[in-house]
Amino acid sequence: MLEIRTPKTGKAKRVLEKRAPKLVETGKKTLILHGTKTSATVSSVLMELYRLKKGGAIKYSRRNENIRPFESGGETSLEFFSQKTDCSIFVYGSHTKKRPDNLVLGRMYDHQVYDLIEVGIENFKSLLSFSYDKKFAPHEGTKPFICFTGEGFENVPELKHLKEVLTDLFRGEVVDNLNLTGLDRAYVCSAISPTKVFLTHCALKLKRSGTIVPRMELVEVGPSMDLVIRRNRLPNESLMKEAMRTSKDKPKKKEKNVDQDAVRGKIGKIYMPDQKLGEMHLPDKSKGLKRERKESKKLQEETDSKKKKKSSE
């Protein structure tokens, strides 16, 4: 029998509520891990990915010997770290003679490995190797553009898989509206061949265009690298169906006395209580009251004159 533990403090309850499933999920956090051996290229790539995702990533610098994502039983430590840090995306870097400068990108569902894709790093250029005006440098935590160019991202299954993983890795928080002035970075992915993708990070430079919408220019700020696809593992059908299942939205309350017309649009009926016009107080300036006053004054003058006649007789 497994022991069921319930939170006893307010802080523990808030942590569990934050990790609980939601109708609108927050941005996915990234877990960055080192393998048994890593080269200088892999270490710098992991460090720069952590800088690009600062605020939405957790990085462990200790070497992990028990993590082998593509082997059976080699995912236990990875799932433990995912549950501990509440991260749903991971980047695992390693370096061997068979697979030099290796990166494994993967996604988690319910703290279990959902899918995996392995890429090799070639022609890596660090942030420090680019020279540009520092006032155009992107700010931390801003929302990026993600651009995929090439027919391979629509036709080749491995590139389609890589596109999905890279989109989840870089997009951050999901929002409905964006302010154009807050967009200052872009990730450009170009399919060079069915197994190679060129990835670069650029800053967005806004210039005058003579219209309301400004003209944009890309300034390469790094890092940039070639990603060579080596292995990938797609999720099985049952896990995919469970992960893709969405909760039904709550039905909206029906609006009373509101109809939709094809011509006039939205039409509403307003309830008005009985106004009781007979009991309403009318102003003294109304014409009807003036007429009544003149008639009553005339009658009063006639009665007064008749009384005077009788008294004189």
Side-chain angles (χ1 to χ4, degrees):
M1 294 287 293
L2 292 173
E3 183 182 359
I4 299 174
R5 290 187 173 184
T6 57
K8 297 181 180 180
T9 61
K11 184 178 180 180
K13 290 179 181 178
R14 288 191 294 271
V15 170
L16 290 179
E17 288 176 359
K18 191 176 180 180
R19 295 188 178 188
K22 306 175 184 64
L23 287 174
V24 180
E25 292 289 343
T26 55
K28 297 180 180 180
K29 290 196 297 183
T30 304
L31 177 64
I32 300 175
L33 297 168
H34 289 256
T36 307
K37 293 181 180 179
T38 56
S39 62
T41 301
V42 173
S43 299
S44 59
V45 167
L46 295 178
M47 179 57 69
E48 296 196 2
L49 282 176
Y50 175 69
R51 289 174 181 170
L52 293 176
K53 298 239 348 140
K54 197 168 185 181
I58 296 174
K59 183 179 180 297
Y60 288 158
S61 58
R62 184 177 296 179
R63 295 179 180 180
N64 298 277
E65 300 178 356
N66 300 324
I67 297 179
R68 294 178 178 85
F70 284 93
E71 299 179 10
S72 60
E75 302 171 350
T76 307
S77 298
L78 191 61
E79 293 171 353
F80 168 75
F81 285 124
S82 172
Q83 190 169 10
K84 180 181 178 182
T85 58
D86 193 25
C87 293
S88 53
I89 304 176
F90 69 90
V91 180
Y92 176 74
S94 61
H95 178 76
T96 59
K97 186 176 180 181
K98 186 177 181 181
R99 295 184 180 88
D101 299 332
N102 198 53
L103 276 185
V104 179
L105 310 174
R107 295 180 290 183
M108 313 288 289
Y109 172 71
D110 196 16
H111 304 300
Q112 297 178 0
V113 176
Y114 178 73
D115 60 353
L116 297 167
I117 186 163
E118 185 180 60
V119 294
I121 303 168
E122 294 181 358
N123 303 324
F124 173 71
K125 293 182 180 179
S126 176
L127 285 164
L128 302 176
S129 62
F130 291 89
S131 59
Y132 57 92
D133 193 352
K134 299 302 179 183
K135 69 179 181 180
F136 299 116
H139 300 283
E140 293 181 2
T142 54
K143 188 78 174 171
F145 276 123
I146 306 176
C147 178
F148 294 92
T149 59
E151 296 180 355
F153 289 113
E154 302 296 332
N155 303 327
V156 183
E158 290 80 6
L159 291 181
K160 289 174 69 176
H161 187 198
L162 181 62
K163 177 183 176 181
E164 294 177 1
V165 176
L166 290 178
T167 302
D168 277 349
L169 178 64
F170 291 122
R171 70 177 178 178
E173 293 282 347
V174 179
V175 295
D176 296 328
N177 299 316
L178 284 175
N179 188 356
L180 191 61
T181 57
L183 294 170
D184 58 358
R185 69 175 69 207
Y187 294 101
V188 182
C189 304
S190 304
I192 301 172
S193 68
T195 58
K196 183 180 283 190
V197 173
F198 172 66
L199 170 65
T200 185
H201 177 226
C202 300
L204 287 176
K205 188 177 179 182
L206 301 179
K207 287 194 170 184
R208 295 180 180 177
S209 62
T211 61
I212 299 175
V213 180
R215 182 169 59 89
M216 289 189 177
E217 288 186 1
L218 294 178
V219 180
E220 195 171 6
V221 297
S224 68
M225 66 193 85
D226 291 337
L227 302 178
V228 182
I229 299 176
R230 290 173 177 168
R231 291 183 292 178
N232 74 318
R233 192 181 78 188
L234 296 172
N236 54 31
E237 293 184 1
S238 60
L239 184 62
M240 184 185 293
K241 286 182 180 179
E242 187 178 356
M244 294 295 180
R245 187 174 57 188
T246 56
S247 60
K248 294 181 180 179
D249 295 332
K250 295 182 180 179
K252 295 182 179 179
K253 292 183 179 180
K254 186 178 179 181
E255 293 180 308
K256 294 182 179 179
N257 302 323
V258 175
D259 297 326
Q260 291 288 340
D261 190 3
V263 179
R264 293 180 291 175
K266 194 173 183 180
I267 303 171
K269 296 179 182 178
I270 301 174
Y271 172 72
M272 294 290 292
D274 188 11
Q275 297 186 13
K276 298 180 182 179
L277 298 176
E279 299 179 1
M280 291 180 67
H281 177 69
L282 298 176
D284 296 338
K285 294 181 180 180
S286 60
K287 293 182 180 179
L289 286 176
K290 287 182 178 180
R291 191 179 297 112
E292 289 179 0
R293 287 176 181 175
K294 287 180 180 179
E295 291 176 356
S296 61
K297 188 176 181 181
K298 190 175 180 181
L299 289 173
Q300 186 68 29
E301 289 176 353
E302 290 178 354
T303 52
D304 292 342
S305 62
K306 286 179 182 180
K307 288 180 180 179
K308 288 179 179 180
K309 286 180 182 180
K310 287 182 179 179
S311 61
S312 63
E313 291 177 353

